[in-house]
Amino acid sequence: MPITSRRQYLITAGTVGALGVAGCTGGDGDGSLRVGVSQHLVGGDWVTAFYEAGELYAQEEGIEYDVVSHDQDSAQQVTDIRQFVAEGYDAIIAAPFDKAVDDAIDEAAAEDIPVFTVNDPGTTDSIKTFTAFGNAEAGETCAELMVDALEEQYPDREEYSVLHVRGAFNQQSNARTDGFDEYIGEQDHVEVVDTIQTDWSIDDSQSTTTDYLSANDPPDGIYATNMTCGIGVQNALEQLDLAAPAGDDDHIVHTQPDAGPDVNPLIEDGYIDATVDQPVHFYIPLAIKQLLDYLEDGDEALPQPGETVTEDDYSFDPVEHNGAELWSDPIWAPAEVTERDGHTHVLTAGVAVTAENVDNPGLWGNIWS
């Protein structure tokens, strides 16, 4: 079955009856579909954009939308998902913290409660679909942007040195590191002179980078594996009086996955050359569209590996939020559909953000700023 256009999901008695095949209990009795959302972080602009966009879209669809956060405690996430199952939620959207969460997802599936994952994939084939951009692909694109910026910044040099400031060893950080390193490894004129590890916090990234640059020659470029790492890097450069914008003789090229409200001004002012941003404000809305299709027409209604999902397949009516037209720019599309760990990955597009497009009102960092 081809991927259909957006369906209008009507919360009616007849629809609720149809949902019985998916284990629907009717929630609090008012006929609303109940979706439990389990995420792994508390606080921060990215997290706010992540769940708030989902909340807004759930309101558009008349869905009861309950969010719980475990703050990077996989045992708590297991408990949260089991609680959703015990309370008879109709579907679950989760960002699994690690493999320990798989058993809870399997238990939900055994109760015919479909689980869709976003941002973090999970590793069980009980997951209906996983929706997010590709971390390895983002790292690779950052490497390409790094090489381009180095050649533009220092056109007369034959070789370039790059410092890699990575995060802790988890799925996302590893993928972003691997994608970057593999591309740079193929470039004869660019060398990663060192890789230093941080805990992904701004403070640790700043102190670790400061210590390194205090003991070593400044590199030509720095790759940071996420938003907070990148901000820490810029703080370190400022602290050591090494911060200079692109085009300045002393500029150190900087690329990273993740833009955002604290990163965009650094891009605009030339201190960060380029990022690959996530369409985070589409992740949960896209998952909701898929779960509604699934509840209505079953597995065959879901995206299938090998397909390409476009904005025509999943369209959004823009709504005003924070003075912006949320979802007006479908920057998530096109999404290639692949298979990962036994389940489907809806691989959304990532957005390369430079000084030329950092003011795009469709970027989440310009909406939740």
Side-chain angles (χ1 to χ4, degrees):
M1 176 179 179
I3 299 169
T4 63
S5 61
R6 175 177 180 270
R7 291 184 174 88
Q8 290 295 325
Y9 190 88
L10 303 178
I11 306 301
T12 64
T15 304
V16 171
L19 295 179
V21 296
C24 174
T25 64
D28 58 6
D30 67 356
S32 297
L33 186 70
R34 287 202 305 165
V35 176
V37 179
S38 172
Q39 62 177 4
H40 59 63
L41 294 172
V42 177
D45 296 317
W46 191 98
V47 174
T48 300
F50 176 68
Y51 77 78
E52 200 165 87
E55 183 176 43
L56 289 165
Y57 189 68
Q59 290 173 358
E60 291 288 301
E61 295 289 351
I63 295 171
E64 181 180 330
Y65 177 91
D66 296 324
V67 180
V68 293
S69 300
H70 60 77
D71 204 15
Q72 303 189 65
D73 181 344
S74 58
Q76 182 60 50
Q77 187 169 37
V78 168
T79 299
D80 292 340
I81 291 176
R82 285 174 173 162
Q83 189 66 28
F84 285 144
V85 174
E87 295 181 9
Y89 275 72
D90 302 309
I92 295 170
I93 296 174
F97 184 58
D98 57 30
K99 290 184 177 180
V101 183
D102 285 350
D103 288 346
I105 294 173
D106 291 341
E107 291 166 18
E111 295 295 326
D112 289 331
I113 299 174
V115 179
F116 294 77
T117 61
V118 287
N119 190 52
D120 301 293
T123 55
T124 169
D125 59 10
S126 295
I127 294 165
K128 290 299 180 184
T129 66
F130 163 54
T131 299
F133 86 157
N135 285 296
E137 289 83 355
E140 180 178 349
T141 302
C142 284
E144 296 174 8
L145 293 167
M146 170 69 74
V147 174
D148 291 344
L150 286 169
E151 292 175 346
E152 182 174 349
Q153 174 69 30
Y154 306 112
D156 297 329
R157 294 191 188 176
E158 295 182 354
E159 296 181 342
Y160 304 100
S161 60
V162 174
L163 172 65
H164 185 154
V165 182
R166 64 159 296 158
F169 286 87
N170 59 34
Q171 290 184 72
Q172 290 185 21
S173 180
N174 292 345
R176 293 174 178 201
T177 286
D178 292 345
F180 182 85
D181 285 348
E182 288 174 10
Y183 184 87
I184 293 297
E186 296 171 354
Q187 313 305 310
D188 293 336
H189 62 314
V190 184
E191 178 187 7
V192 176
V193 292
D194 220 328
T195 298
I196 56 177
Q197 183 183 348
T198 78
D199 65 5
W200 285 56
S201 70
I202 293 175
D203 289 345
D204 190 52
S205 177
Q206 179 176 346
S207 62
T208 303
T209 305
T210 299
D211 290 345
Y212 179 88
L213 294 176
S214 297
N216 298 275
D217 293 333
D220 300 318
I222 297 178
Y223 169 65
T225 53
N226 81 334
M227 176 167 42
T228 48
C229 273
I231 294 171
V233 165
Q234 286 300 316
N235 289 348
L237 294 176
E238 178 116 4
Q239 180 179 342
L240 297 171
D241 199 23
L242 293 172
D248 189 285
D249 289 343
D250 296 325
H251 175 59
I252 296 175
V253 171
H254 177 164
T255 67
Q256 63 179 59
D258 298 338
D262 295 323
V263 173
N264 293 356
L266 294 168
I267 299 172
E268 186 173 11
D269 292 340
Y271 293 98
I272 295 179
D273 296 77
T275 71
V276 178
D277 202 18
Q278 302 186 55
V280 59
H281 48 310
F282 284 97
Y283 283 176
I284 294 179
L286 284 167
I288 289 175
K289 283 182 175 291
Q290 293 167 59
L291 80 85
L292 292 177
D293 283 351
Y294 169 77
L295 293 175
E296 190 171 316
D297 289 324
D299 286 318
E300 290 187 354
L302 296 175
Q304 303 297 318
E307 295 180 339
T308 299
V309 183
T310 71
E311 60 184 279
D312 293 330
D313 297 311
Y314 293 134
S315 62
F316 292 86
D317 295 328
V319 298
E320 184 175 342
H321 184 64
N322 291 343
E325 287 288 310
L326 181 61
W327 306 316
S328 61
D329 187 352
I331 56 177
W332 65 272
E336 302 298 328
V337 185
T338 64
E339 185 172 343
R340 174 175 183 153
D341 296 320
H343 57 269
T344 299
H345 182 182
V346 180
L347 182 65
T348 69
V351 184
V353 181
T354 67
E356 283 70 39
N357 66 344
V358 69
D359 59 348
N360 180 346
L363 298 176
W364 74 267
N366 293 334
I367 300 172
W368 280 270
S369 59

